[in-house]
């Protein structure tokens, strides 16, 4: 993997951007600092950027919806650069990176998270791994009471909060979250806040031990063990898949109880297949969960403010942007004990 930092000539009012030039090639590129924003947009000076599986997949050439080169970064906190509309210069904000058209059927039905022409910062268009970006006003939320690092963790937690809301959990539900990475942990945390009995399944004993020690999840299961035994023999009322693995998704169907819901949080390139008789016998619901809405962002921020989410436990490490070219290969290849790495500017 070629990891390097380019040296560009000095440019007046310039900034460095963390850019994946092509699969395997990450550089800090010098670009012009945005000085103006279109009507209805706001300039935001980025404070912190969370790195997630999407960014690693982009670096590895595994993302299905992307053109290179791409400035990565969609888990963003920042400060308003110039006062405009209701926003005051210097105000800390959380950035919702899902840019919707506001005109398609999904948007008109209040589901901009699955807009038919959605553009995600850092995926469909350049993201926030840089000093400043322009963002539609509707995609900014006040981060009152949060730190810069906490605000950068809201987006990935909102993915889990949205999935839990899609599942319509009740306190008597038995829940299994497959995949104990960042998205899985976030999903499990909000499932637990709903009052459900939460179990975690992963192929890594390290991740399961971390979930138990850092977050208090007592019901952990290693892939390959006989999970459907004893009190769990009837299966799970709700399963959330956060593995990003087609085989793991298919392996989850036999673990579903009768009258259950299967929420697919992760997305894979492959076709998923399952036994239709078993699916009908259980009257299973399959629910796709994509991105998050303002409601989910607000849910997360409220949970952080009230100390129901331990953000210190979630943040594994911080790294400055100028040090990222030397660190990103290590982060991408050794993620077993990594929950959330945050880049600071």
């Amino acid at each position: 993997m070629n990891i390097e930092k380019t040296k560009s000539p000095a440019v007046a009012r310039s900034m460095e951007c963390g850019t994946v030039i092509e699969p395997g090639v990450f550089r800090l590129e010098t670009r012009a600092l945005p000085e103006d924003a279109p009507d209805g947009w706001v300039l935001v000076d980025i404070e912190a950027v969370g790195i997630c599986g999407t960014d690693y997949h982009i670096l590895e050439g595994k993302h299905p919806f992307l053109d290179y080169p791409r400035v990565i970064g969609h888990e963003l906190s920042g400060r308003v650069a110039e006062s405009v509309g209701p926003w005051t210069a210097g105000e800390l904000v959380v950035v919702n990176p899902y840019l919707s058209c506001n005109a398609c059927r999904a948007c008109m039905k209040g589901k901009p998270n699955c807009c038919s022409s959605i553009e995600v910062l850092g995926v469909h268009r350049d993201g926030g791994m840089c000093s400043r970006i322009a963002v539609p006003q509707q995609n900014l939320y006040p981060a009152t009471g949060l730190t810069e690092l906490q605000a950068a963790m809201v987006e990935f937690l909102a993915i889990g909060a949205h999935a839990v809301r899609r599942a319509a959990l009740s306190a008597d539900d038995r829940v299994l979250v497959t995949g104990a990475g960042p998205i899985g942990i976030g999903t499990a945390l909000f499932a637990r806040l709903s009052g459900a009995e939460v179990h975690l399944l992963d192929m890594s004993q390290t991740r399961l031990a971390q979930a138990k020690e850092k977050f208090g999840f007592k019901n952990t299961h290693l892939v390959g063990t006989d999970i459907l035994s004893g009190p769990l023999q009837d299966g799970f009322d709700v399963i959330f898949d956060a593995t990003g693995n087609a085989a793991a998704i298919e392996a989850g169907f036999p673990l579903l109880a009768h009258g259950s819901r299967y929420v697919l949080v992760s997305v894979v390139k492959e076709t998923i297949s399952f036994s239709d008789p078993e699916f009908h016998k259980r009257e299973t619901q399959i629910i796709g969960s994509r991105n998050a809405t303002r409601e989910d962002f607000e849910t997360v921020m409220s949970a952080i403010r009230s100390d129901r989410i331990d953000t210190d436990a979630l943040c594994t490490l911080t790294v400055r942007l100028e040090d990222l070219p030397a660190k990103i290969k290590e982060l991408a290849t050794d993620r077993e004990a990594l929950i959330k790495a945050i880049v600071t500017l």
Side-chain angles (χ1 to χ4, degrees):
M1 185 175 288
N2 180 13
I3 307 296
E4 57 182 317
K5 177 176 178 178
T6 59
K7 293 184 179 179
S8 303
V11 179
R13 301 287 288 173
S14 64
M15 63 180 183
E16 287 193 311
C17 303
T19 308
V20 179
I21 305 300
E22 59 187 40
V25 181
F26 177 83
R27 298 175 183 165
L28 294 188
E29 287 196 320
T30 300
R31 299 190 181 187
L33 186 78
E35 300 284 2
D36 299 297
D39 289 344
W41 291 51
V42 181
L43 293 175
V44 177
D45 290 330
I46 299 299
E47 290 281 354
V49 185
I51 307 178
C52 84
T54 296
D55 301 309
Y56 298 127
H57 289 160
I58 292 170
L59 181 63
E60 296 162 347
K62 297 178 180 179
H63 200 286
F65 307 122
L66 185 122
D67 295 320
Y68 296 91
R70 179 64 68 226
V71 177
I72 59 173
H74 62 274
E75 301 178 4
L76 309 172
S77 74
R79 295 189 180 276
V80 175
E82 300 174 355
S83 297
V84 57
W87 303 104
T88 303
E91 183 176 0
L92 183 66
V93 293
V94 170
V95 176
N96 180 335
Y98 319 125
L99 277 57
S100 56
C101 71
N102 300 316
C104 71
R105 187 165 181 81
C107 286
M108 297 301 288
K109 291 172 70 68
K111 298 180 178 181
N113 58 299
C114 55
C115 167
S116 61
S117 56
I118 198 168
E119 290 186 304
V120 181
L121 296 176
V123 179
H124 304 96
R125 61 163 62 202
D126 285 338
M129 192 74 75
C130 56
S131 297
R132 178 180 290 180
I133 60 170
V135 182
Q137 289 193 37
Q138 67 186 27
N139 286 71
L140 297 183
Y141 310 139
T144 308
L146 273 59
T147 67
E148 290 88 348
L149 293 183
Q150 288 175 327
M153 287 186 267
V154 171
E155 190 275 342
F156 96 85
L157 289 169
I159 299 293
H162 182 72
V164 169
R165 182 162 64 89
R166 291 276 289 151
L169 291 185
S170 60
D172 62 350
D173 278 329
R174 180 190 296 157
V175 169
L176 177 67
V177 178
T178 59
I183 298 299
I185 290 293
T187 302
L189 288 170
F190 283 95
R192 185 168 64 184
L193 287 175
S194 75
E197 174 190 321
V198 179
H199 296 247
L200 282 146
L201 175 68
D202 200 278
M203 62 188 301
S204 167
Q205 188 61 61
T206 299
R207 283 189 166 182
L208 293 176
Q210 188 169 238
K212 183 177 294 186
E213 293 164 8
K214 286 192 171 186
F215 305 102
F217 288 107
K218 299 178 181 179
N219 302 313
T220 60
H221 309 274
L222 194 63
V223 171
T225 58
D226 182 14
I227 191 171
L228 296 183
S229 61
L232 301 179
Q233 62 183 338
D234 292 333
F236 296 88
D237 303 303
V238 182
I239 296 180
F240 296 92
D241 176 82
T243 65
N245 182 282
I249 294 174
E250 292 180 350
F253 282 93
L255 304 179
L256 290 159
H258 286 242
S260 54
R261 285 100 72 201
Y262 199 178
V263 185
L264 303 184
V265 189
S266 61
V267 59
V268 297
K269 289 183 178 181
E270 297 90 343
T271 297
I272 302 300
S273 62
F274 54 90
S275 167
D276 186 62
E278 292 297 323
F279 170 78
H280 272 84
K281 182 171 70 176
R282 288 169 169 78
E283 198 180 46
T284 299
Q285 297 179 52
I286 299 179
I287 302 171
S289 182
R290 188 182 186 193
N291 302 328
T293 66
R294 179 169 190 141
E295 179 179 349
D296 306 307
F297 279 74
E298 296 287 359
T299 294
V300 171
M301 288 190 283
S302 175
I304 294 175
R305 292 187 190 106
S306 61
D307 295 324
R308 289 176 291 151
I309 297 292
D310 185 354
T311 52
D312 288 338
L314 290 166
C315 182
T316 308
L317 61 88
T318 60
V319 56
R320 292 190 59 80
L321 178 60
E322 55 264 35
D323 299 325
L324 188 58
K327 295 277 190 181
I328 195 168
K329 180 179 180 180
E330 177 186 348
L331 295 175
T333 57
D334 187 16
R335 289 181 277 172
E336 190 174 25
L338 181 67
I339 299 178
K340 184 56 57 178
I342 298 182
V343 178
T344 58
L345 287 85

